């Protein structure tokens, strides 16, 4: 769907999805994870989000 949108609207959708991903990470319930798993997963997830943000900024 987003491929059919003009660049401004496409970027708005991408930015919205990135913001939701950030909020999901902030609100994630790690109650069932031990510290080692959290320390493994969170940096990888944050690195992925940062890489996607970088790619979207390069498109501008």
């Amino acid at each position: 769907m987003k491929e059919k949108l003009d660049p401004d609207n496409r970027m708005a959708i991408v930015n919205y999805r990135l913001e939701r991903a950030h909020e999901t990470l902030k609100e994630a319930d790690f109650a069932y994870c031990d510290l080692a798993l959290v320390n493994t997963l969170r940096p990888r997830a944050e690195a992925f989000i940062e890489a996607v943000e970088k790619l979207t900024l390069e498109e501008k």
Side-chain angles (χ1 to χ4, degrees), residues 31-48:
Y32 300 104
C33 299
D34 61 11
L35 183 58
L37 183 58
V38 171
N39 288 339
T40 299
L41 295 178
R42 186 174 181 122
R44 290 179 185 178
E46 290 174 341
F48 174 78

Side-chain angles (χ1 to χ4, degrees), residues 13-35:
I13 288 175
V14 169
N15 287 336
Y16 169 74
R17 289 179 178 169
L18 287 171
E19 183 60 32
R20 284 185 53 202
H22 275 292
E23 291 304 314
T24 298
L25 279 176
K26 288 179 188 174
E27 297 171 2
D29 181 6
F30 291 109
Y32 300 104
C33 299
D34 61 11
L35 183 58

Side-chain angles (χ1 to χ4, degrees), residues 10-11 14 54-60:
R10 182 175 37 229
M11 188 58 63
V14 169
K54 182 179 176 187
L55 289 172
T56 59
L57 292 175
E58 289 175 0
E59 290 182 7
K60 287 185 178 181

